[in-house]
Amino acid sequence: MRAKITYLVTAAVLVFYFVLVGSRGLMLIRHGTLVTVTFGIAVLILPVIGVWFLWKNTQFVRRANALAAELDAEGGLPVDDLARTPSGRIDRDAADAVFTKRREETEDAPDDWRTWFRLAVAYQDARDTPRARKAMQRAIALHRSRPGAPSAHPTASNAPDTPAPSGALDTPAPSSPAAPSSPSGA
């Protein structure tokens, strides 16, 4: 729950910033000189990019949460029983051991979104956020492409949810997209 509150507060602050910056851009454009109009347009680009980025991340989080809820309903959600340091962080050796298991599961069933979801959790536990995100994007894409799934429109707006290209998860060979590397990259 704390993560949701943090996300909502951060999103609200960003929206406030976008409105503030956008209003300054409009003020510059209204001034009417060549320089201020040019700067005004440049300033307006920042909030547009920011709103797009916030929207895409919100969609990603909603889709990942929907997968988590579905996996939980099936009883397949990974249990958080990893050893922790005194500060509360997950012990790296424990995370690496679970990661190895999750990687093998994913290699055995590369077309199952559930294994990719659990692999994403293992990457996150091992503090490898970029690979965790790519694995989750792969899980979302596999879930959306299965029969009976909500239709996905092949547009540019769905680009981050498409399967990760070969090598995106540090795969050993292009012909083996389900062989992710260890979180440490070794």
Side-chain angles (χ1 to χ4, degrees):
M1 184 64 176
R2 189 172 77 182
K4 281 185 181 181
I5 292 171
T6 302
Y7 188 80
L8 289 174
V9 168
T10 303
V13 168
L14 284 172
V15 168
F16 175 75
Y17 168 76
F18 299 151
V19 169
L20 184 66
V21 169
S23 69
R24 298 297 182 230
L26 291 174
M27 284 176 33
L28 286 169
I29 290 171
R30 279 191 218 122
H31 195 270
T33 67
L34 178 63
V35 173
T36 60
V37 170
T38 305
F39 280 131
I41 292 170
V43 167
L44 284 178
I45 290 172
L46 294 175
V48 170
I49 292 170
V51 166
W52 175 83
F53 183 75
L54 184 61
W55 174 251
K56 294 309 288 182
N57 278 304
T58 302
Q59 283 184 318
F60 174 77
V61 168
R62 286 182 46 237
R63 290 176 181 148
N65 285 340
L67 291 186
E70 186 174 333
L71 199 56
D72 188 31
E74 295 175 358
L77 200 61
V79 178
D80 184 10
D81 59 356
L82 296 172
R84 299 193 181 267
T85 63
S87 65
R89 292 186 88 176
I90 294 173
D91 180 60
R92 182 64 186 241
D93 293 333
D96 286 345
V98 171
F99 172 81
T100 302
K101 178 182 171 191
R102 299 298 183 207
R103 183 186 63 210
E104 290 169 359
E105 289 174 358
T106 305
E107 289 170 351
D108 292 341
D111 295 328
D112 186 2
W113 68 267
R114 294 162 188 85
T115 61
W116 283 95
F117 182 95
R118 289 188 284 265
L119 181 66
V121 172
Y123 271 129
Q124 187 64 37
D125 289 344
R127 295 182 225 133
D128 192 346
T129 304
R131 288 186 183 141
R133 187 171 181 89
K134 290 199 183 296
M136 187 60 73
Q137 288 172 341
R138 177 71 183 227
I140 291 168
L142 287 170
H143 184 267
R144 295 178 86 197
S145 67
R146 70 188 177 138
S151 65
H153 302 288
T155 63
S157 65
N158 289 337
D161 298 328
T162 58
S166 186
L169 296 176
D170 289 342
T171 57
S175 63
S176 178
S181 68
S182 66
S184 61

